[in-house]
Amino acid sequence: MSVALVRPVQRVLEERFGSLIDTSDLGGQSEEKLREHRLTRALAAMAIGIEHPLTDEECAQAVFDGGDDRGLDAIAIDRRRQPTRISLVQAKWSDNGRGKFGESEVHKMVEGLDLLLDLRFSKFNGRFQRHVQVLEECYDGTQEAPKITLVLALMRSDALGPEIRELLERKIKQFNEVEEMVDYKVLDLRDFRRAALGDSATPKVDATVRLEGFGQETTPYKAYYGTMTTPEIAELYGKHRRGLFARNIRDALDLTDVNVKIRGTLTDAPEHFWYFSNGITMLCERIKPTRKAVTGGVGDFLVEGVSVVNGAQTVSAIHKAYDENPEAALRGRVLVRLISLEDCPPGFGDLVTTNTNTQNPIEERDFKSLDPVQTALRDTFAFDLRLAYVIKRGEREPAPEHGCTITEAAEALAAVHPNAENAALAKRDLGGLWEDGTYEALFGKEPSAFRIWRCVQLLRSVRARLQEIREGLVWRAAAMAGYGDLLVTHVIFRQLDTRKMSDPDFDWDAQLARVPELVGEALIRSLQAVDVEYGPNSHIIAAVRNTEKIRQVARTALRGMSSDSPAPELAADYQASASSGRQINAVKTLVKQETIPDGAVLEYRPYSGPERREMPQWLAEDPRRSQAIWRNSATDQLQWCYDDQWYSPSGLARIMRREASGVNQSTQGTLRWFLPESGSLAEIAERARAEADLLVGNEPDADETAAGV
């Protein structure tokens, strides 16, 4: 039966993506293997199309399945709203609808996710590199960290086994110690049939729903409203899933802050859910009471062609909360509206959909703008500082030299507060700063406009210097320079004379002048503190956003800053342009030991932040630019496929950077040229030394200069 169900999907995949999928790396494989790879990649592309509003061409470009894919097959990045949403897909094709997904696939996906969160983008293959420019911008620390969904695109009809699901959820839980940053979803045969065949893939959704305490509207159009229990909503979604959202302008975005809060209410205080939720609106082609009922009582209704047009996130969150903790979520209830389109004019359903999804929510910050403390600050900024202090959303934000907003002020106050937990809270969720206890701790009863403005200046100064430093950093150091801005500000604030910050005559400029010099040491001390407290493989993002972890990290960093020991140096591995003895001798080792065979094709991958921003588009314009052929020669080991000329790895990397961006500076080529599925030249040389039991400097004699590194 599954074979018959799969074949229509296969036909659509071949029609839509057959000519778009890149299979240039699959030479030498049998026709059957080539077909299987092509369908797997097409399935990954379709999964991207289900999750994101992209063209088929864009979906195909999202696929990077192949060597060095690190357990991931495709990526899509949605920056239309904050936080950014990233989908990472692993696809498994099966002709008979039995796509396998086991423990090894889980571990590979998690390995790839680890590398991405550590900003080690060069570990991924060349087709992934076209996405690193956007990823670099997403993880530069100036915006909220993206939410990531692992998408399992499986050509199968059976559910995941409980042991695999448990393993996957346990692995994902490690990333969500601070907040829900990573989630997963499974797309199976039903989802792909619906995506491939549209409405013909599944019948319209008909269901029976029960409304407690129901009421009704009869003019001008028929509608019913009442309360449904969370088990009923969860069962409805579990049975029909995405088919329930056919008319909605957006799908259920599982990792939005709204969804997380909805689930939190259901599990922590389900009795409050009805009061906190805006409810669910469903459009129906027809609504029929199944039995006689009295208004205000319990009514059962047959709803034909039902679709949730507002509250998709609520429905999805209810299902997930009930699935994870049915005992707690059991008591939740939610307000539901059923609107019949049977006697409505054409287009009325679309109007309902649009208008129920375009209302601006009121945020806690909006209430704080009414606080007399904030209006007094606004007046003091204007009269004493001649600066603007914007307290209401929607007002024009001032230029940096002309003032700040209440949000920037709160963020700066959180960074300098004696309790480093406030810095973590601000980094994780700025909305949390407006909760009464935190808000009062930051602003106090009579805050000084001078102190607040000077804190803002400090945070800006730290960020500006970190941005400069970050250009030369990679991996976890780059992550600290991006996401550790509030932690570094917290550390630096305690190195300055801040006793008279509220005094208008205090020479604050003298203190700000010290900041650029302090930033470098504070960054290194903070990075080392994370390594000491939580290990060199821990994620920086988690450390600076977790209230418990940041307290320990800040304490260790401050202890280092106040010690008599000199400022430590940053490890060479964290510096984009640093050269260690091992890197200098890498080419010599490879050539002498003939570790790489002549004729092997190497791949260039941008290494530093500036390269990731400047080079991907240039490389994508002509694939030959990112490829070179290796030879074991004392000089000029690489033949660039773009011009067929011979260069050293570092010499060619320097030329490429200059051609792509106009930057002409020395570059460590052994960190940027990769033998697919084997690693960078530096990594391959490191393994070769270990296998030959050689130390740096003990390689076979050769003219180092002639080796052309």
Side-chain angles (χ1 to χ4, degrees), residues 14 34 36 66 71 89 130 160 169 328 334 369 413 441 510 532 541 578:
E14 291 171 342
L34 187 60
E36 184 178 333
V89 177
R130 64 172 67 104
L160 282 181
E169 292 178 350
V334 63
S369 68
L413 291 173
V532 168
I541 295 177

Side-chain angles (χ1 to χ4, degrees), residues 265 269 272-279:
T265 302
H272 295 162
F273 189 73
W274 190 94
Y275 302 93
F276 293 174
S277 171
N278 290 328

Side-chain angles (χ1 to χ4, degrees), residues 92-108:
K92 294 296 178 183
W93 173 260
S94 169
D95 290 337
N96 57 16
R98 297 175 183 174
K100 296 180 180 180
F101 187 87
E103 289 186 14
S104 64
E105 283 77 18
V106 173
H107 292 300
K108 289 175 182 177

Side-chain angles (χ1 to χ4, degrees), residues 29-212:
Q29 300 208 19
S30 68
E31 282 298 319
E32 179 59 26
K33 279 291 185 182
L34 187 60
R35 183 189 72 88
E36 184 178 333
H37 280 298
R38 185 181 290 112
L39 286 170
T40 295
R41 294 179 182 185
L43 192 68
M46 180 176 278
I48 290 294
I50 292 173
E51 293 298 305
H52 297 264
L54 301 174
T55 66
D56 286 352
E57 289 79 4
E58 291 169 329
C59 291
Q61 287 288 307
V63 177
F64 60 92
D65 168 62
D68 286 348
D69 63 19
R70 304 299 177 181
L72 304 168
D73 295 334
I75 181 173
I77 306 166
D78 184 356
R79 296 196 291 175
R80 292 174 301 165
R81 62 178 65 89
Q82 287 296 318
T84 294
R85 189 167 71 99
I86 297 176
S87 295
L88 299 173
V89 177
Q90 184 177 116
K92 294 296 178 183
W93 173 260
S94 169
D95 290 337
N96 57 16
R98 297 175 183 174
K100 296 180 180 180
F101 187 87
E103 289 186 14
S104 64
E105 283 77 18
V106 173
H107 292 300
K108 289 175 182 177
M109 283 192 87
V110 171
E111 176 196 353
L113 180 57
D114 268 323
L115 291 172
L116 188 146
L117 290 176
D118 277 339
L119 312 187
R120 303 187 74 173
F121 305 139
S122 61
K123 292 292 185 180
F124 293 86
N125 63 33
R127 289 189 299 281
F128 179 89
Q129 298 304 312
R130 64 172 67 104
H131 305 287
V132 300
Q133 180 177 359
V134 177
L135 284 170
E136 184 71 24
E137 294 170 358
C138 291
Y139 284 101
D140 66 359
T142 62
Q143 54 192 309
E144 188 176 349
K147 303 290 188 183
I148 298 173
T149 300
L150 299 178
V151 181
L152 282 54
L154 310 178
M155 187 48 62
R156 61 187 283 169
S157 53
D158 293 339
L160 282 181
E163 67 286 350
I164 298 301
R165 179 175 172 177
E166 181 183 350
L167 173 63
L168 182 59
E169 292 178 350
R170 187 168 70 248
K171 291 291 185 180
I172 287 176
K173 187 177 181 180
Q174 298 172 5
F175 297 98
N176 296 334
E177 292 179 348
V178 182
E179 60 178 313
E180 293 206 41
M181 182 171 63
V182 179
D183 199 358
Y184 81 97
K185 65 173 56 175
V186 179
L187 300 179
D188 61 17
L189 178 56
R190 283 187 296 172
D191 297 297
F192 290 113
R193 281 182 58 82
R194 186 179 296 115
L197 306 178
D199 292 339
S200 63
T202 54
K204 65 181 180 181
V205 175
D206 296 339
T208 300
V209 300
R210 170 168 290 182
L211 298 181
E212 299 176 2

